[in-house]
Amino acid sequence: MAERTKLESYVVFSFVNTIVYCIPAHWMWSPVGWLHQLGATDVAGASTVHLVGGTTGLVATLMLGPRSTRFTDETGEKHVEIRKMSSPTNAIFGMFMLWWGWLGFNCGSTYGITDTKWILAARSATATITASIAGGITGISLSYILKKRKFDVVFLINGVLGSLVAITAMCALARPWQGIIIGAVGALIACLGGPLCEKLKIDDPVGVVPVHGMASIWSLIAVGIFGEYDELSGTFIKHNGLIAGGKDGFFLLGVQLLAATCIIAWTAITAFITLKILDITIGLRVPLHEEILGADLVEHSLNGTYDKTTSEWRDREGHLIMIVKQYENESSLELLNRINAQAAGCTQCERFGSTIRRRTAFGFSRSDDTVSHASVASDAMPQFMDTDKEIEDEEGITSPETDSLSNNNRKKRRSHQNQRNLFRKLSRTFSNGSTRRSGTYSLDSSPVRLPNGALNMVQVQL
């Protein structure tokens, strides 16, 4: 659902989706639940949490359809657009947060540490760690093989998370060697499930279907294969699996498969009904131009603002960049190119200043060598502006008499200084690829124009 769903629909569906989760949880964990009475086992929520979430994500993805230009271009021809991860550092940081949290709810699913429960909690911690380590190694190794000796961040993240999902169903009763096998297979499923979804044209930006959906099915099956009777509490696993029980183990495997099938069916039907109602009432998918602009801007006003009523797109300083509704009838490719061009011009303008903006991450910093900081052309400055010396004197930098200035004069001179800084920005020489161009600013219509007269950054309403 990412990158194309309305925020309002997210909020409402997250609230209503509680009902979808509650029913399978009752089936699996309540003493009177029919799956629990049959002997189905899920210690920490592989079925009731991850399988429900993965199935819901699949239904929503199929209803929404892929993102624009993801699999086909404007002519309808096959075209797979490779979209880069916006922040690999943040993605890995999020993976470690989930990894740490997984220890909490896997161990906490034993409901205490009294009597023999502390042994189950310790086993949960051991199985979770061994499975995740095996999943991370499997993900890295798979990337090294399939990506021609490259270590893909996506493979690492999906490998670790897929292994954690896989061990969830029997974390409290899995032996260390079983955790390694279950985690490695779960990582294989999660890493290979992504390309499979892409071949099936299922646009899943965050990998919810392979990581949560496919890996959780394997988690339930793994209980039927490796499960052993719970001698400590007698509540988690009541039957032996295939390895420990031989032919009798087919009963536990069959119960686990039945649980997976019923939960998938329930979730798919209820999620479709809920999403369909939302689609009819408030709508699920954002308009094309909002999808291209991105939720960071449209929903959260990061690096600018966007007014949904007037379709005005402004930069962080409030300057008009584009009125998008003027071009909403264009094709998706034309609109995408237009918005990308405007965004590139706006980004270049914002990067002008007295110092080069630096990007930092965990103490490491680097400067942007592509920005050219040229001197301000004196003829581009408006004639009514004061000189630097006058402004400094008026602001009290070199002249102590400014302390007696009235507030009105201070505001007026501050306004002049802000205007001067704006003109400095707009009159600087900026680079576009290998070609340098000078922008000019007009007081009449307030657009920025290139030497050939074309609008570059600011669009005015016609």
Side-chain angles (χ1 to χ4, degrees):
M1 297 175 70
E3 299 186 6
R4 57 199 190 276
T5 307
K6 291 183 178 179
L7 181 61
E8 296 86 349
S9 300
Y10 268 125
V11 174
V12 176
F13 181 70
S14 298
F15 176 76
V16 178
N17 199 39
T18 306
I19 301 174
V20 181
Y21 277 88
C22 287
I23 303 303
H26 174 78
W27 293 346
M28 185 66 70
W29 289 332
S30 173
V32 296
W34 67 277
L35 287 177
H36 180 82
Q37 292 181 344
L38 284 176
T41 299
D42 183 4
V43 175
S47 61
T48 57
V49 177
H50 300 288
L51 184 56
V52 172
T55 305
T56 302
L58 177 61
V59 173
T61 300
L62 295 176
M63 292 181 64
L64 284 168
R67 291 165 289 176
S68 61
T69 68
R70 178 64 176 90
F71 296 118
T72 57
D73 57 16
E74 285 302 305
T75 61
E77 297 181 357
K78 292 183 179 180
H79 166 72
V80 178
E81 180 182 355
I82 300 176
R83 304 194 177 188
K84 297 181 180 180
M85 184 182 294
S86 60
S87 178
T89 303
N90 289 344
I92 293 179
F93 182 63
M95 178 201 70
F96 277 107
M97 292 178 66
L98 288 172
W99 198 344
W100 179 252
W102 230 288
L103 282 170
F105 64 73
N106 273 9
C107 296
S109 296
T110 58
Y111 300 108
I113 56 174
T114 58
D115 298 329
T116 58
K117 290 182 179 180
W118 69 271
I119 301 177
L120 296 174
R123 283 185 177 181
S124 296
T126 303
T128 302
I129 290 297
T130 55
S132 57
I133 291 174
I137 295 174
T138 302
I140 292 177
S141 303
L142 199 61
S143 172
Y144 188 83
I145 296 172
L146 299 181
K147 296 288 184 177
K148 298 180 179 179
R149 302 176 66 182
K150 293 182 180 179
F151 300 104
D152 194 337
V153 173
V154 176
F155 275 70
L156 172 61
I157 295 174
N158 287 349
V160 173
L161 296 183
S163 63
L164 289 169
V165 173
I167 197 60
T168 300
M170 63 172 297
C171 56
L173 296 170
R175 301 180 184 275
W177 67 270
Q178 293 173 342
I180 293 175
I181 296 175
I182 294 172
V185 175
L188 283 173
I189 294 172
C191 291
L192 298 179
L196 176 61
C197 290
E198 187 173 300
K199 288 183 179 296
L200 297 175
K201 290 185 171 49
I202 298 174
D203 189 13
D204 183 12
V206 297
V208 65
V209 176
V211 172
H212 296 277
M214 298 180 183
S216 62
I217 296 174
W218 159 244
S219 182
L220 294 175
I221 295 175
V223 176
I225 298 174
F226 299 102
E228 298 180 25
Y229 179 76
D230 180 13
E231 297 180 352
L232 292 175
S233 64
T235 57
F236 285 121
I237 300 181
K238 301 177 182 179
H239 306 278
N240 289 326
L242 286 178
I243 295 178
K247 293 182 179 180
D248 295 335
F250 281 103
F251 176 80
L252 180 58
L253 180 61
V255 170
Q256 296 296 107
L257 290 173
L258 176 63
T261 304
C262 293
I263 291 175
I264 290 173
W266 160 263
T267 305
I269 295 172
T270 54
F272 175 79
I273 295 173
T274 305
L275 291 169
K276 192 64 178 177
I277 294 174
L278 288 176
D279 191 24
I280 295 173
T281 53
I282 62 178
L284 286 177
R285 186 157 183 157
V286 298
L288 176 61
H289 58 277
E290 293 186 10
E291 178 185 343
I292 296 174
L293 287 172
D296 285 349
L297 173 68
V298 175
E299 302 288 358
H300 309 294
S301 297
L302 298 179
N303 295 323
T305 60
Y306 176 77
D307 191 332
K308 293 183 179 181
T309 57
T310 61
S311 296
E312 292 181 356
W313 171 22
R314 298 179 180 272
D315 62 12
R316 286 181 292 184
E317 298 178 355
H319 303 135
L320 181 65
I321 299 174
M322 185 177 181
I323 299 178
V324 183
K325 69 180 179 181
Q326 294 181 163
Y327 312 102
E328 61 185 359
N329 294 327
E330 292 185 352
S331 65
S332 60
L333 184 60
E334 292 173 345
L335 184 58
L336 176 63
N337 292 335
R338 183 184 296 276
I339 290 178
N340 285 341
Q342 298 292 351
C346 180
T347 302
Q348 286 177 337
C349 178
E350 288 180 352
R351 288 159 73 183
F352 296 142
S354 58
T355 59
I356 299 178
R357 294 181 182 270
R358 302 179 69 85
R359 302 174 184 177
T360 61
F362 298 106
F364 298 94
S365 61
R366 61 184 177 88
S367 61
D368 195 337
D369 298 326
T370 62
V371 182
S372 174
H373 294 270
S375 60
V376 179
S378 60
D379 55 348
M381 299 294 292
Q383 298 301 319
F384 66 87
M385 295 302 301
D386 298 329
T387 62
D388 291 349
K389 178 67 175 176
E390 292 171 347
I391 292 292
E392 290 173 354
D393 290 343
E394 291 168 354
E395 290 300 319
I397 299 175
T398 59
S399 176
E401 290 80 7
T402 56
D403 294 337
S404 61
L405 291 176
S406 64
N407 290 332
N408 292 334
N409 289 337
R410 287 179 180 274
K411 292 179 181 180
K412 184 182 296 184
R413 291 183 177 90
R414 173 63 64 184
S415 176
H416 285 180
Q417 187 178 17
N418 292 337
Q419 291 180 16
R420 182 192 64 180
N421 293 336
L422 174 62
F423 277 97
R424 274 181 172 173
K425 280 185 179 182
L426 298 177
S427 61
R428 286 185 185 274
T429 301
F430 57 89
S431 61
N432 182 15
S434 60
T435 305
R436 292 183 177 179
R437 304 175 297 181
S438 296
T440 59
Y441 184 84
S442 173
L443 286 174
D444 298 330
S445 57
S446 298
V448 177
R449 293 185 177 274
L450 302 178
N452 61 3
L455 285 172
N456 181 51
M457 290 176 298
V458 182
Q459 288 284 1
V460 295
Q461 189 169 6
L462 301 177

